[in-house]
Amino acid sequence: MLAKLIKYDLKYILKTARIFIVLLLASVLIFNFTSYVPELITEIQDGQPNVVGEIVPPLIIQALHGLAQFAIYAFIFALVFITILSIWRRFKNNFYGDEAYLTHTLPLSRHTLWTAKFCSTFIAIAVVILTLIFGCFLLSFSTNGLQLLESFGLVYGCTHCVGDYYFVEPQSFSLYASYILLFFTQISFITFCGITGIIIGHRTNRHQGCWSLLSGFTVYFICGFLLIGILYIISLINPDFSFIFGEPISSGAYVPDDPRIPARISNFINPEIITQLFLIIATVYLCYIIIQYFTSQKLLKKGINLD
Amino acid sequence: MAQNPQNKSPKDSSPILECKNLSKAFDQHFVLKDVNLEIPRSKIVGLLGQNGAGKSTLIKLINDLLVPTTGEILVDGQPIGIHSKEIIAYLPERTYLDRSMTVRATIAFFSEFYSNFDSQKAETLVKELDLKLDQRITKMSKGMQEKLQLILVMSRQAKLYVLDEPLGGVDPATRDYILDTILSNFSDGASVLISTHLIADIERILDEVIFIENGRITLIDNADRLRNQHHTSIDAIFRKTFRPKTN
């Protein structure tokens, strides 16, 4: 029964999201196909090469490329945003809207109903994250795509280490993995804050929408402040993390062993420290999500009151 | 008179639904007060009361859509839970279907979740009531959606059918058709609890009547006995009982 519930939830949630998945991937492909690097025209003047112009593709290609870049930004935002909204909408309709009259009269326990929502939320967000990873993977095939990834902060070290070209440090696989985990847990956490808000808000008899919004934000901010507190304590215990609060890097100073890196750059943060930091934050978010799961389950077990 | 005779085993003599000292309050305002009632098996029971009398609240409590403030509800001798939901077929006042689904997908949904759902019967009724299997619910009128809900509810082999205002949004010509659908489709040995304020339309099918006023049960009686006692229809008795007080 749990699997059936998840199936129906995902069908609903991904119905709109899949449109944005297709649009995003199409934009990435267009962006890659229209990718170009201007070729400089130089002339020797007084024995010195002098740039007198550049060769660029036709205007239509440039326009298409610019449009695709804008579309990538827009569809990434839309995909994440629409998925979260669909999850919230589905949950509200199923648990407190008209459809709740069917949901709560199915011969299933509230525990099963809630666990199905929990799992489908995780799966839907995982689908979104996997789509984004796949999109980034496709982008990495073009030079402009790599530049775009850099603007997302996804090509570690490229800004600081190498002036003219981009590369991925071998040890950064774990960094990417922790980055993805962090993004996944963060989006999941935000989504569950909304769901917890809906549950708390609907325990009141009036202004349930307002109470849901207020409760969701309250849970989010309390957890956010707690996270800052946890990180502060960690930075006191381990000076490697003191840079989070603006302190100069002490024992965490790191110089990549790469001859291409200019000597003037010295203020590196060890990617391992960043990886650890991402993992710590992801773990905290995961703990929050687990706490929200059990808290919401307890609240739902007390029963619901439909209008 | 619609009857649903069955050979009753000793266990079957117990009521299908019992409410004991049941109360429900919202913000300290009681909408149901100390309700005690029993619904016997194999009976069609009318839950009759004016708008706001507490009919829907009682029905929601029976279906686990509200939490009682005090008291207890037993269905088939057990508290409200998975078992009660398995044996109660509930038709709410509002449309509870996923509007993005087609009729066929909705039937498949019910078939997946209710072990006592008869898909074959549902598809037959869909055709009989002039609905199309591939039609999307969002494209259907409110009346059509209500018909579909009724089909889905009556296609279950339930022990108790709880119908909240099944004639509410339906034109008078369709009311008889709906009542006939209810009568000819509920399972043998099952009870039907129908909440309505349209008594004249429904009284011909009732075995028992329950009057509810301001959250209190004011009368529980056999429909025939009541009619014979007062020499008039249930509708007339209801009107007399609930006549608005004038200065």
Side-chain angles (χ1 to χ4, degrees):
Chain A
M1 287 296 179
L2 186 69
K4 286 176 188 170
L5 285 172
I6 293 171
K7 179 187 80 177
Y8 280 102
D9 275 345
L10 289 177
K11 250 187 191 176
Y12 178 90
I13 295 164
L14 297 177
K15 197 174 64 183
T16 317
R18 71 186 173 198
I19 299 167
F20 289 98
I21 289 173
V22 172
L23 289 172
L24 173 64
L25 295 180
S27 305
V28 167
L29 289 177
I30 294 169
F31 182 83
N32 275 1
F33 286 132
T34 55
S35 178
Y36 65 91
V37 180
E39 202 177 308
L40 299 177
I41 305 164
T42 54
E43 277 178 6
I44 306 293
Q45 287 176 347
D46 303 329
Q48 294 291 320
N50 194 20
V51 178
V52 291
E54 58 179 20
I55 300 169
V56 288
L59 199 62
I60 182 80
I61 300 290
Q62 288 182 54
L64 211 58
H65 186 72
L67 203 67
Q69 181 170 350
F70 174 76
I72 288 170
Y73 286 116
F75 290 137
I76 287 175
F77 176 76
L79 180 60
V80 175
F81 190 67
I82 294 290
T83 306
I84 295 175
L85 278 187
S86 297
I87 291 168
W88 286 342
R89 193 175 167 201
R90 174 79 174 171
F91 181 78
K92 198 201 162 279
N93 283 350
N94 273 186
F95 271 60
Y96 300 103
D98 284 353
E99 288 169 28
Y101 286 77
L102 178 60
T103 309
H104 295 295
T105 51
L106 290 172
L108 303 168
S109 66
R110 287 246 157 76
H111 171 74
T112 309
L113 293 172
W114 166 236
T115 307
K117 290 282 172 242
F118 189 80
C119 295
S120 54
T121 299
F122 258 136
I123 296 168
I125 293 169
V127 169
V128 169
I129 302 288
L130 286 174
T131 306
L132 296 182
I133 292 169
F134 185 62
C136 291
F137 173 72
L138 291 179
L139 279 175
S140 70
F141 283 100
S142 71
T143 314
N144 293 149
L146 278 168
Q147 283 171 337
L148 196 65
L149 289 178
E150 186 199 348
S151 74
F152 296 155
L154 283 175
V155 181
Y156 182 79
C158 58
T159 314
H160 307 289
C161 303
V162 186
D164 299 321
Y165 63 97
Y166 308 93
F167 76 105
V168 177
E169 291 185 66
Q171 70 265 45
S172 62
F173 173 77
S174 57
L175 184 78
Y176 284 136
S178 62
Y179 190 94
I180 291 163
L181 185 70
L182 173 65
F183 191 56
F184 175 66
T185 50
Q186 192 171 33
I187 298 289
S188 303
F189 165 67
I190 291 168
T191 312
F192 282 114
C193 282
I195 291 176
T196 308
I198 293 170
I199 294 171
I200 296 171
H202 281 80
R203 294 193 66 76
T204 58
N205 289 327
R206 280 184 213 151
H207 310 300
Q208 293 166 330
C210 294
W211 280 112
S212 298
L213 211 64
L214 193 69
S215 311
F217 274 116
T218 307
V219 172
Y220 178 79
F221 283 118
I222 288 173
C223 292
F225 284 125
L226 270 175
L227 175 64
I228 293 169
I230 290 166
L231 291 177
Y232 185 69
I233 291 166
I234 289 171
S235 75
L236 290 180
I237 297 166
N238 187 346
D240 286 353
F241 296 102
S242 58
F243 71 92
I244 307 168
F245 295 96
E247 297 292 321
I249 300 160
S250 51
S251 59
Y254 165 77
V255 179
D257 183 22
D258 192 310
R260 293 169 297 184
I261 297 166
R264 61 188 161 79
I265 301 169
S266 59
N267 196 24
F268 287 101
I269 298 163
N270 190 335
E272 281 175 22
I273 299 292
I274 299 283
T275 307
Q276 282 174 27
L277 178 67
F278 285 173
L279 286 176
I280 288 168
I281 299 173
T283 310
V284 172
Y285 279 138
L286 211 60
C287 290
Y288 285 161
I289 291 167
I290 293 166
I291 292 167
Q292 287 189 70
Y293 171 77
F294 286 110
T295 313
S296 299
Q297 184 178 295
K298 208 170 176 184
L299 289 173
L300 288 168
K301 215 173 172 184
K302 286 182 182 171
I304 46 124
N305 283 301
L306 291 188
D307 292 334
Chain B
M1 172 60 59
Q3 286 284 351
N4 191 14
Q6 284 281 297
N7 293 330
K8 291 177 182 175
S9 64
K11 196 197 167 197
D12 284 343
S13 62
S14 64
I16 185 72
L17 173 75
E18 289 172 83
C19 297
K20 295 175 182 175
N21 307 316
L22 190 65
S23 297
K24 177 66 189 172
F26 293 103
D27 294 333
Q28 272 138 39
H29 169 70
F30 277 85
V31 285
L32 271 190
K33 287 167 231 160
D34 208 25
V35 168
N36 287 286
L37 67 87
E38 290 185 355
I39 306 284
R41 288 169 198 268
S42 309
K43 297 282 182 194
I44 300 178
V45 181
L47 181 62
L48 313 175
Q50 292 169 309
N51 289 330
K55 303 186 296 290
S56 291
T57 303
L58 178 59
I59 283 178
K60 282 182 193 172
L61 285 164
I62 294 167
N63 285 288
D64 198 22
L65 299 173
L66 289 175
V67 184
T69 306
T70 59
E72 182 185 23
I73 303 170
L74 297 175
V75 177
D76 204 23
Q78 294 184 34
I80 299 292
I82 296 174
H83 176 68
S84 70
K85 291 173 187 182
E86 188 67 62
I87 62 168
I88 294 177
Y90 168 51
L91 179 75
E93 223 178 335
R94 52 180 89 184
T95 314
Y96 63 23
L97 302 170
D98 182 343
R99 287 176 178 82
S100 64
M101 289 163 96
T102 61
V103 174
R104 196 189 298 280
T106 309
I107 290 173
F109 178 90
F110 270 69
S111 179
E112 280 187 74
F113 287 98
Y114 294 107
S115 57
N116 55 12
F117 185 77
D118 185 346
S119 316
Q120 211 61 31
K121 186 177 176 181
E123 286 185 14
T124 311
L125 282 170
V126 162
K127 281 167 197 159
E128 276 179 24
L129 289 173
D130 291 332
L131 300 176
K132 291 184 186 96
L133 280 169
D134 292 314
Q135 192 166 12
R136 283 201 179 275
I137 292 167
T138 187
K139 303 271 181 199
M140 293 164 76
S141 68
K142 195 167 181 285
M144 286 162 92
Q145 290 181 23
E146 283 173 358
K147 271 185 191 176
L148 176 61
Q149 281 194 172
L150 183 68
I151 289 167
L152 295 166
V153 169
M154 300 317 295
S155 297
R156 285 181 59 196
Q157 302 292 309
K159 287 188 181 174
L160 175 64
Y161 295 84
V162 180
L163 315 175
D164 194 1
E165 300 280 2
L167 310 174
V170 179
D171 59 90
T174 318
R175 283 177 196 166
D176 280 345
Y177 195 56
I178 284 181
L179 287 176
D180 290 338
T181 308
I182 294 169
L183 279 179
S184 51
N185 286 289
F186 73 97
S187 1
D188 288 344
S191 294
V192 183
L193 177 66
I194 306 179
S195 134
T196 189
H197 60 276
L198 301 167
I199 299 154
D201 293 295
I202 213 165
E203 75 163 279
R204 68 181 169 93
I205 69 164
L206 298 178
D207 296 325
E208 309 268 341
V209 290
I210 298 169
F211 280 6
I212 185 166
E213 188 185 15
N214 296 328
R216 288 184 191 277
I217 303 290
T218 53
L219 176 103
I220 302 177
D221 210 339
N222 178 279
D224 282 341
R225 190 165 51 228
L226 205 59
R227 269 188 287 254
N228 291 336
Q229 229 171 34
H230 291 82
H231 306 290
T232 185
S233 66
I234 306 279
D235 187 40
I237 299 165
F238 180 85
R239 283 169 195 271
K240 203 174 147 189
T241 310
F242 296 111
R243 184 180 296 147
K245 289 173 183 70
T246 49
N247 294 328

